[in-house]
């Protein structure tokens, strides 16, 4: 139907749009002029006239700007003050370390007391005058002088005191003094964070001074981290909280690492330290909702490490990882689906009704447990890799019994247990991704089972084939797992009328309603309608995953079966039956994939039969042509999988031709048989165009190979009798059908003579054949240009160019050898410059030539 507007109405719309574009252009030009005036106008005390604001924009504040305050961190004054304070600090350090010994004790005391007192008192007066930045710089100098005072006191008055213990006491005194100083001068931002930094040292250094070991040091670090946590929770300045958070992270992390190390050497000490760290971190997670997930995850890891460290000595070495995995899975159990809040007052506090842990805390704990379980699964993956790739690591010939005489390798059997437990737990999670991972773990379990348990060769091969059969069965019929994933039918059975959808935002009427917390698959079924792309059915996703796992196991099963001759035929036959069954009974794309895999399996079966009977390569090549012949026959009947099956069969024909290349006579026969198969396929209308050309090419190649075998020196005697009738037939067809392409009418006939003659001319040292071929190609080219026939123009021109290149090549080589070595690069550079300078014109000429050739028939 035609939805275009009447001309009058469309003209009105066009005029209206043009007017809108003119208005926008005028606005942009005005804005551009104002920007140029602002950028290039001479500097003046008066500010430029502001550009009129756009509609809806906030008006700029009127009046002059207030002067920049001294406390502005972006001012140049702050930079100068910072540099000045830094230089004074360096000078004070140099004075203390270098010039201290030249003064007496009295002079030293007077200098220290006077300079430090002045540096601490001056910020009070500066703050009264509003010079906050200057006060900050002087206060920083005073804090550094206090550290130097403590150092000088140790060097002069207490030289025999232990340095570590004195540093701990001095750090505690300085932390208290700086805290009092920063609290008294609350406008200064430096003293309180510096006091927090000093507060990190007393306990750890005191433990070291008292001769405490790593355990005592870790406890001291944990207590200090707890104090930092208290500062984070109960102080207001952001700088203090950030500094305390950094200290808590560093010292708490050291305590956790020490606890983890102790759990391996001294389980009870490590467990106590880890549990204390977990308790403190969990408390912080409850009080800080923004860090609840991360902090609770750390607490969960510490709890799992503590529990696993206590249980590890009581189990054998192979059970160490399963113990940690079970502890992690126990921690995952704290996660429960969120329930509706009991009242509006408790709806936004992040905690469940009845005093349960907040959602963020439970999520972090469950994530920590899941992470431990995931690491356990990674530990259990090497047997899977060996079971999948081990048979392919062959060092001997086929049918040598390499893997039949021994097991692949030995791994702890607990790896299979870890995979089984993880798969069972994930299968119980009502999420599609969990079911998918569980299915993949089941496949990994079946792959690793022979390696971990050391099953014999026959049992291993049988288990692999059964695994493949079960996986491929997902493409044939919907199994119980896929039926369980379907959404429940409405009450009253399939024929009952469906309930009307509830209003958006209304609560679910029952637990079984889609989206309710207790409903099956309620987590992935949206509770209210939202516009979104249709999601894939869970059964389809699981079916594809199982199908992919089965296909991945097929190469491993075939490689394992190659150790024994009987096993090879049994495995290939079973796989052929399975894949053919899926190709016949399956649905969708999995059916197509199975059909192509069945073709490849049949190819392997043919090769195995040829190897068992001792056929030579050329006889094997002829046997392989049975596969494309069978696919051509199947493609005529099985329309849904016809094209992929035929393409796969055609690909199989390529190694057949390669195997026959050692015997040219058999290569010609193989090419001719391939042409027969392609010609038989061309009988079908939908394959006629491509298959006919393929048959013609194969027949032509077979002819050339046969002529080469017969050592024919004049191929024209055999090609011209074919070319003349072919050209006559093409001419008659063109007269009857003017729309027929020149490639269809004249292409095969011309190629039958020109191409073999070109090959013969390139190997002919005499001049008559290249001359005759060049004349014939020139005539064909001129005829193609005269009658606008694309096939004649392209074939004749290509053959003429190649023939001329063959004739001129010796003279070109001789001429290039006589030229100076710098001249060819120079000429190439000039050519590139010329082409680059006229690139656009050359591009237009090439496009024009392409269009003219494309318009030919």
């Amino acid at each position: 139907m035609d939805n275009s507007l009447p001309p009058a109405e469309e003209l009105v719309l066009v005029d209206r749009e043009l007017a809108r574009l003119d208005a926008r252009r005028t606005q942009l030009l005005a804005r551009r002029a104002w920007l140029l005036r602002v950028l290039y106008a001479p500097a003046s005390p008066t500010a430029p006239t502001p550009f009129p604001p756009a509609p809806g924009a906030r008006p700029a504040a009127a009046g002059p700007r207030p002067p920049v305050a001294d406390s502005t961190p972006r001012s140049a004054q702050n930079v100068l003050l910072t540099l000045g304070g830094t230089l004074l600090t360096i000078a004070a350090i140099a004075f203390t370390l270098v010039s201290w010994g030249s003064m007496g004790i009295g002079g030293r005391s007077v200098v220290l007391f006077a300079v430090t007192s002045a540096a601490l008192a001056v910020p009070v007066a500066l703050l009264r005058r509003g010079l906050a930045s200057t006060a900050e710089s002087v206060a920083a100098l005073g804090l550094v002088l206090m550290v130097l005072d403590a150092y000088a006191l140790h060097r002069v008055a207490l030289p025999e005191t232990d340095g570590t213990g004195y540093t701990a006491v001095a750090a505690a005194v300085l932390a208290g003094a700086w805290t009092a100083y920063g609290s008294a001068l609350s406008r200064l931002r430096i003293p309180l964070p510096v006091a927090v930094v000093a507060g990190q040292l007393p306990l750890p250094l005191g433990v070291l001074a008292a001769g405490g070991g790593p355990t005592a040091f870790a406890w001291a670090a944990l207590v200090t981290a707890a104090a930092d946590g208290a500062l984070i929770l109960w102080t207001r300045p952001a700088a203090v909280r950030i500094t305390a958070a950094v200290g808590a992270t560093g010292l708490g992390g050291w305590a956790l690492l020490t606890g983890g190390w102790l759990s391996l050497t001294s389980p009870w000490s490590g467990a106590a330290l880890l549990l204390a760290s977990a308790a403190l971190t969990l408390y912080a997670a409850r009080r800080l909702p923004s860090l609840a997930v991360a902090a609770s995850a750390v607490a969960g890891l510490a709890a799992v490490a503590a529990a696993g460290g206590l249980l590890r000595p009581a189990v054998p070495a192979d059970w160490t990882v399963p113990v940690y995995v079970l502890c992690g899975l126990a921690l995952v159990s704290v996660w429960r689906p969120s329930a509706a809040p009991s009242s509006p007052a408790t709806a936004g506090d992040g905690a469940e009704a009845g005093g349960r842990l907040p959602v963020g805390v439970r999520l972090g704990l469950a994530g920590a447990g899941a992470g431990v379980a995931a690491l356990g699964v990674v530990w259990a993956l090497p047997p899977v890799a060996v079971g999948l790739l081990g048979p392919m690591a062959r060092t001997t010939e086929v049918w040598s019994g390499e893997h039949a005489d021994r097991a692949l390798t030995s791994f702890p059997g607990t790896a299979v247990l870890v995979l089984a437990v993880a798969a069972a737990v994930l299968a119980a999670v009502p999420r599609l991704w969990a079911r998918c991972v569980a299915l993949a773990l089941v496949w990994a379990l079946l792959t690793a089972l022979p390696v971990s348990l050391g099953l014999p060769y026959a049992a291993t091969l049988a288990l692999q084939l059964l695994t493949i059969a079960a996986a491929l069965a997902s493409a044939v019929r919907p199994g119980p797992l896929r039926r369980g994933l379907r959404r429940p039918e409405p009450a009253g059975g399939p024929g009952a009328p469906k309930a009307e959808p509830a209003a958006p935002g209304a609560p679910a009427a029952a637990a079984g309603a889609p989206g309710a917390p207790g409903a099956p698959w309620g987590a992935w079924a949206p509770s209210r309608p939202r516009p979104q792309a249709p999601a894939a059915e869970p059964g389809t996703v699981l079916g594809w995953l199982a199908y992919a796992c089965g296909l991945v196991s097929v190469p491993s099963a075939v490689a394992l079966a190659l150790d024994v001759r009987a096993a090879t035929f049994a495995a290939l036959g079973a796989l052929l039956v399975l894949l053919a069954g899926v190709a016949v009974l399956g649905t969708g794309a999995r059916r197509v994939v199975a059909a192509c895999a069945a073709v490849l399996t049949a190819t392997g079966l043919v090769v195995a039969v040829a190897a068992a009977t001792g056929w030579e390569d050329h006889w094997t090549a002829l046997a392989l042509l049975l596969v494309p012949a069978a696919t051509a026959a199947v493609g005529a009947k099985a329309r849904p999988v016809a094209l992929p099956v035929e393409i796969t069969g055609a690909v199989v024909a390529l190694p057949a031709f390669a195997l026959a290349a050692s015997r040219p006579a058999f290569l010609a026969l193989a090419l001719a048989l391939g042409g027969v198969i392609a010609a038989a396929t061309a009988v079908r209308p939908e394959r006629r165009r491509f298959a006919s050309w393929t048959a013609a090419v194969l027949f032509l190649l077979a002819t050339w190979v046969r002529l080469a075998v017969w050592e024919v020196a004049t191929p024209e005697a055999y090609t011209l009798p074919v070319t003349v009738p072919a050209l006559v037939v093409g001419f008659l067809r063109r007269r009857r059908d003017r729309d027929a392409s020149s490639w269809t009418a004249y292409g095969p006939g011309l190629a039958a003579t020109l191409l073999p003659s070109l090959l013969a001319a390139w190997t002919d040292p005499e001049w008559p054949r290249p001359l005759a071929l060049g004349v014939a190609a020139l005539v064909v080219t001129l005829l193609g240009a005269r009658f606008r026939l694309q096939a004649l123009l392209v074939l004749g021109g290509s053959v003429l160019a190649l023939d001329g290149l063959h004739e001129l090549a010796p003279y070109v080589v001789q001429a290039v050898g006589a030229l100076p070595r710098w001249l060819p690069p120079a000429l190439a550079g000039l050519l590139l410059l010329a082409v680059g300078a006229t690139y656009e014109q050359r591009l237009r000429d090439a496009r024009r030539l392409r269009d003219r050739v494309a318009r030919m028939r």
Side-chain angles (χ1 to χ4, degrees):
M1 57 182 297
D2 188 7
N3 293 325
S4 59
L5 296 174
E9 296 182 10
E10 187 175 359
L11 180 60
V12 171
L13 292 177
V14 170
D15 291 340
R16 189 178 302 168
E17 188 66 24
L18 290 174
R20 186 180 295 110
L21 292 175
D22 290 340
R24 180 61 178 166
R25 185 175 185 274
T26 303
Q27 181 184 3
L28 293 176
L29 288 175
R31 179 69 179 180
R32 181 178 182 275
W34 180 82
L35 291 173
L36 290 175
R37 186 167 63 254
V38 170
L39 289 174
Y40 299 107
S44 61
T46 59
T49 305
F51 189 77
R58 294 183 178 180
R65 291 184 177 181
V68 179
D70 176 66
S71 60
T72 303
R74 298 180 182 177
S75 62
Q77 183 183 13
N78 283 345
V79 177
L80 298 177
L81 291 174
T82 302
L83 292 176
T86 303
L87 293 177
L88 287 176
T89 303
I90 294 174
I93 294 174
F95 171 77
T96 304
L97 297 178
V98 178
S99 302
W100 183 258
S102 62
M103 300 179 64
I105 185 65
R108 300 171 188 174
S109 303
V110 171
V111 170
L112 281 175
F113 179 79
V115 175
T116 304
S117 300
L120 296 177
V122 167
V124 179
L126 293 176
L127 289 175
R128 291 176 181 175
R129 295 179 175 271
L131 300 176
S133 295
T134 308
E136 292 280 0
S137 300
V138 178
L141 176 62
L143 300 181
V144 174
L145 289 175
M146 293 181 71
V147 176
L148 296 178
D149 291 344
Y151 170 75
L153 180 63
H154 178 262
R155 290 290 302 273
V156 175
L158 303 170
E160 303 298 331
T161 307
D162 178 61
T164 305
Y166 177 80
T167 303
V169 174
V173 173
L174 290 176
W178 290 343
T179 301
Y181 185 73
S183 301
L185 301 178
S186 57
R187 294 180 59 186
L188 294 179
R189 294 172 295 179
I190 293 179
L192 290 179
V194 174
V196 174
V197 173
Q200 312 300 310
L201 302 177
L203 282 180
L205 292 182
V207 168
L208 292 179
T215 304
F217 183 84
W219 278 105
L222 183 61
V223 172
T224 306
D228 291 333
L231 290 178
I232 297 172
L233 294 176
W234 297 323
T235 56
R236 288 182 177 273
V240 175
R241 300 178 67 183
I242 293 174
T243 308
V246 174
T249 302
L251 294 176
W254 179 265
L256 286 172
L257 293 176
T258 305
W261 173 70
L262 289 175
S263 68
L264 301 177
T265 57
S266 179
W268 288 101
S269 299
L273 184 59
L274 287 172
L275 291 177
S277 303
L280 292 175
T281 309
L282 193 60
Y283 178 78
R286 291 178 63 94
R287 295 294 304 272
L288 299 173
S290 60
L291 301 176
V293 177
S296 57
V298 174
L301 292 175
V304 171
L310 292 176
L311 296 175
R312 183 181 54 82
V315 298
D318 292 345
W319 286 83
T320 301
V321 174
V323 163
Y324 282 98
V325 171
L326 292 176
C327 294
L329 293 177
L331 191 61
V332 173
S333 63
V334 303
W335 176 256
R336 291 289 185 275
S338 301
S342 58
S343 64
T346 62
D349 60 356
E352 298 294 337
R356 293 178 60 186
L357 292 175
V359 176
V361 174
R362 291 188 288 110
L363 181 60
L365 292 176
V372 173
L375 291 177
V377 170
V378 172
W379 170 82
L381 288 182
V384 181
V386 173
L388 186 65
L389 303 177
M392 301 181 187
R394 180 173 301 282
T395 58
T396 57
E397 296 181 356
V398 176
W399 298 339
S400 62
E402 176 185 3
H403 299 297
D405 296 336
R406 61 178 177 85
L408 293 177
T409 184
S410 61
F411 284 89
T414 52
V416 178
L417 177 62
V418 170
L419 294 175
V421 171
V425 171
L426 287 172
V429 177
R431 296 291 190 276
L432 177 59
W433 64 267
R435 300 289 176 88
C436 292
V437 177
L439 183 59
L441 289 178
V442 170
W443 168 81
L445 168 65
L446 295 175
T447 305
L449 192 61
V451 179
S452 299
L453 301 183
L455 296 181
Y457 176 80
T460 302
L461 183 59
L463 182 60
Q464 285 192 349
L465 293 177
L466 289 176
T467 303
I468 295 171
L472 296 182
S474 62
V476 177
R477 58 181 180 85
L481 181 62
R482 293 177 62 189
R483 286 199 298 268
L485 296 173
R486 294 176 180 172
R487 298 189 182 184
E489 298 289 344
K498 295 183 180 180
E500 294 294 332
W521 298 98
W524 64 268
S527 59
R528 56 182 180 179
R530 290 183 296 178
Q532 57 184 0
E537 289 294 332
T540 304
V541 176
L542 290 174
W544 263 111
L545 181 60
Y547 187 72
C549 291
L551 291 181
V552 169
S553 298
V554 169
S556 178
V558 173
L560 183 61
L562 291 178
D563 282 336
V564 180
R565 179 177 300 185
T568 301
F569 288 102
L572 289 176
L575 290 175
L576 181 59
V577 171
L578 289 173
L579 293 171
V582 175
V584 174
L585 303 177
T587 58
R590 283 175 284 182
R591 181 182 183 184
V592 176
V593 175
C596 297
V599 174
L600 297 178
T601 306
T603 303
L605 194 58
V606 171
V607 174
V609 171
T613 54
W615 291 353
E616 296 182 6
D617 289 344
H618 52 277
W619 291 111
T620 304
L622 296 181
L624 279 178
L625 292 178
L626 294 175
V627 176
T631 57
V634 171
K637 302 295 183 182
R639 295 301 175 88
V641 297
L643 183 59
V645 165
E646 292 174 0
I647 292 176
T648 308
V651 171
V652 172
L654 298 179
F657 298 150
L659 288 175
S662 59
R663 300 285 294 271
F666 278 89
L667 176 60
L669 178 59
L671 291 172
L673 292 177
V676 171
I677 296 172
T681 306
V683 175
R684 294 156 50 193
E686 68 274 12
R687 300 285 187 267
R688 181 166 300 162
R689 182 172 184 179
F690 180 79
S692 60
W693 279 98
T694 304
V697 171
L698 291 176
F699 282 135
L700 188 60
L701 290 176
T703 304
W704 294 348
V705 173
R706 175 55 63 184
L707 293 178
V709 171
W710 289 341
E711 298 181 356
V712 174
T714 309
E716 292 82 3
Y718 299 90
T719 58
L720 283 177
V722 177
T723 297
V724 174
L727 293 178
V728 172
V729 172
F731 177 75
L732 295 177
R733 181 177 178 181
R734 287 274 298 178
R735 290 188 59 182
R736 188 175 302 174
D737 183 11
R738 290 294 181 180
D739 294 333
S741 172
S742 61
W743 287 100
T744 305
Y746 304 118
L750 291 175
T753 295
L754 291 179
L755 297 182
S757 298
L758 179 63
L759 294 177
W762 270 71
T763 58
D764 191 352
E766 303 297 333
W767 60 270
R769 184 192 301 276
L771 178 60
L773 179 62
V775 172
L778 178 60
V779 172
V780 171
T781 304
L782 294 177
L783 290 175
R786 170 65 180 83
F787 295 102
R788 302 178 61 83
L789 298 176
Q790 189 180 101
L792 276 68
L793 183 63
V794 172
L795 283 176
S798 301
V799 172
L800 181 61
L802 293 175
D803 185 66
L805 178 62
H806 173 265
E807 294 302 310
L808 294 177
Y811 303 101
V812 172
V813 171
Q814 184 178 2
V816 170
L819 293 175
R821 294 185 178 272
W822 58 267
L823 188 57
L827 294 177
L830 291 176
L831 178 62
L832 292 177
L833 290 177
V835 172
T838 59
Y839 176 74
E840 294 295 336
Q841 181 61 36
R842 301 287 79 79
L843 190 60
R844 285 193 294 269
D845 294 342
R847 289 173 179 171
R848 191 178 300 113
L849 178 61
R850 181 197 62 187
D851 295 339
R852 289 180 179 177
V853 174
R855 285 195 296 268
M856 295 181 179
R857 296 300 301 171

